[in-house]
Amino acid sequence: MKTTQVATLFCCLFLIGSAEVVAGPMMGAMSADLGVRSSAIAYLPAAYGLAYGAFALIAGPLSDRWGRRRPLQAGLLGFALLSAALPSAPSLAVAIVLSALAGLCAGLIQPNALSLVADESPPEQIGRRLSHVFVGLMLDFVLTPVVAGWLTDTAGWRSAYYTLAAMAALAFLAVTRAFVQRVPAAASHAGFFATHAQALRTPGVRRRLAVSYLWLGWVAGFGAVVAEVAARKLVLSSTDTGLIAGLFGLAVIAGNLASGRLQRALGEAALPLAALAAAAGLLGLALPVGSTTQLVLLGLPWAFGYGCAGPLHHARLSALSERYRGTINSYHASLLNLGIFSVSFLLGSVVPRFPVEVFCALAGGVTLVGACLLLPWPWRKAGVATT
C-alpha cells in the first residue's frame, strides 16, 4: 500500500471523526445562536451517528460486490456540501437534519475506507496499516476540539464547519488521484440479504459486533461529548474545554501507537485489559472533581484504553472474513455509531435533570459490560474465544 493511499484514508477517517466531536467545545456558542439549551446541541452528533450507522449497513454489502472507490468519492462530496450548509441552518431542527444527512455520507466513507486498507495491503501488513490509518480517527480528538474551541472564540463556530467542508473537498480529490475503481478480489456475488446473512454466520462475528456497540461505540461516543462533560464539572471557557478534550485525544493517540507493543507483550490479553481500563476511566469520571488536574487524571485510563483497544478490536473483525469484509465493516461502523448516538442522546436526556456524574456512571456501566464480553469466560469454546 502506497504512502499516499495511507495518507488519503487517514484524512478520510479524520474528517468523519471530526464531525462527531466538533460541536463539543462549541455547544455554548451554538446554543446561543440557535436559541436552545447547550445540552440540546448534543442531538447534532446523535443524529449524525444514528444516520451514519444505519446507512453503513447498505454501503458495506454493495462495496463487497462492486468496489470501494466510487462510494467513497460520493460520500466525501456529500459530506463537503452538507458541512458547508449546516452553518446556515435557521434552527436546531434544520441543523439536526443536515447533521443526519452528513452521517449518511460518513456511512459511505468509513466501511469503504477501512476495507480499502485491507484490499490494498498484504495480509501480514493489514494490522499495521489499519493502526496507521486509525491514527486519523484518533487525531480528531486532539486537533478538532482545540481548533474548534479556538475558532469559536475568534472567528465564530460556523468557521469550524466551513473548514471541514474544505477538507472534505480536498480529500475527494485525493481519493480520485490515489485509487482506481476495481472489484475486490474475493468479491461476493450473493444477493443483498444473503450477503448479510453469510457475514453474520462468520464464526465469532456476533460477539465482536456486540463489543462494537457496547464498548467501542460508547467509549467513542463519550469522546464526542467529553468537552461538555468537562464544562459541566468545572467552570471553563470554550478554549479550555477544547484543550482538555485535545489532551484526552493525545492519550488516545498514545494508546493507538502503543497497541502493537502491548499486543506483542501481552498477546490476546492486550485487548480485554485495555477495554477494561477504558471502562474504569469512564466510571472514574463519575467521581466529583475539584480541579482540571483531577479531571484529566481520572479520565486518562478511558482515553488510553480506547486508543489501544480500538484498533486491536477492528483488526480482529477485518480478519474474520475476506469475502464479507465490507459487510462486517459496515456492521461495525453501524453499531459503533449507534453507540455514539446512544451516548449523545443519553447526555441530552440526563443532564437537564441529574448531575453529569450520573451520566458518566451510566456510560461507564455500559462499557464495562462490553469489555467483559472480550474476557475468556470458561464456558466459551476455545475456538470461538480466539476469533
Side-chain angles (χ1 to χ4, degrees):
M1 191 174 188
K2 298 178 181 177
T3 302
T4 54
Q5 293 176 320
V6 174
T8 298
L9 299 177
F10 174 102
C11 293
C12 290
L13 292 192
F14 176 80
L15 279 169
I16 60 175
S18 291
E20 294 173 343
V21 301
V22 68
M26 307 191 304
M27 285 183 173
M30 294 178 72
S31 67
D33 283 355
L34 295 173
V36 297
R37 65 181 189 275
S38 62
S39 60
I41 302 300
Y43 292 122
L44 289 179
Y48 176 88
L50 184 63
Y52 181 162
F55 194 68
L57 293 175
I58 298 174
L62 294 181
S63 75
D64 277 337
R65 186 164 188 171
W66 292 322
R68 327 284 192 198
R69 179 178 178 249
R70 288 173 184 165
L72 181 56
Q73 289 174 303
L76 288 167
L77 186 59
F79 186 95
L81 295 173
L82 291 161
S83 296
L86 194 146
S88 300
S91 66
L92 178 63
V94 175
I96 289 172
V97 171
L98 292 172
S99 185
L101 291 173
L104 294 182
C105 296
L108 278 171
I109 295 169
Q110 181 171 334
N112 285 286
L114 293 179
S115 296
L116 274 171
V117 177
D119 290 347
E120 300 288 338
S121 302
E124 67 276 7
Q125 295 184 14
I126 291 176
R128 183 164 61 92
R129 294 301 189 190
L130 278 171
S131 180
H132 293 163
V133 171
F134 253 96
V135 174
L137 198 58
M138 310 301 180
L139 188 62
D140 60 70
F141 285 94
V142 181
L143 292 182
T144 304
V146 174
V147 174
W150 175 75
L151 286 173
T152 300
D153 289 339
T154 55
W157 64 268
R158 291 174 175 83
S159 59
Y161 281 99
Y162 292 138
T163 301
L164 284 180
M167 293 175 63
L170 292 174
F172 169 83
L173 296 176
V175 168
T176 303
R177 185 180 180 88
F179 295 98
V180 297
Q181 173 69 10
R182 62 169 174 262
V183 177
S188 169
H189 298 290
F192 179 81
F193 294 106
T195 299
H196 278 284
Q198 291 297 327
L200 291 175
R201 291 193 187 105
T202 302
V205 75
R206 296 184 185 182
R207 176 172 60 89
R208 293 201 176 275
L209 288 176
V211 174
S212 294
Y213 172 68
L214 293 170
W215 181 78
L216 186 55
W218 280 70
V219 294
F222 192 85
V225 300
V226 68
E228 177 69 4
V229 170
R232 287 183 172 272
K233 292 179 78 72
L234 300 167
V235 179
L236 300 168
S237 68
S238 294
T239 299
D240 290 337
T241 57
L243 287 171
I244 289 174
L247 182 60
F248 283 135
L250 285 174
V252 172
I253 292 178
N256 180 271
L257 297 176
S259 62
R261 292 183 180 179
L262 288 175
Q263 173 75 20
R264 289 190 293 271
L266 301 176
E268 293 297 318
L271 175 55
L273 288 176
L276 287 170
L282 288 190
L283 290 170
L285 286 170
L287 299 173
V289 298
S291 68
T292 302
T293 301
Q294 291 178 350
L295 176 71
V296 171
L297 289 177
L298 286 173
L300 279 178
W302 154 69
F304 185 84
Y306 164 42
C308 180
L312 294 178
H313 172 64
H314 183 80
R316 282 161 175 74
L317 270 175
S318 289
L320 291 179
S321 171
E322 181 181 1
R323 180 178 296 273
Y324 300 107
R325 180 177 289 143
T327 304
I328 292 173
N329 279 332
S330 73
Y331 272 100
H332 171 67
S334 177
L335 291 166
L336 190 159
N337 284 280
L338 180 60
I340 293 172
F341 163 79
S342 300
V343 173
S344 298
F345 186 83
L346 183 69
L347 177 71
S349 302
V350 168
V351 295
R353 302 174 181 85
F354 302 97
V356 71
E357 287 79 10
V358 174
F359 162 74
C360 294
L362 291 171
V366 173
T367 59
L368 181 61
V369 172
C372 286
L373 291 176
L374 294 168
L375 295 173
W377 297 104
W379 59 79
R380 184 177 298 144
K381 293 180 180 179
V384 176
T386 57
T387 58

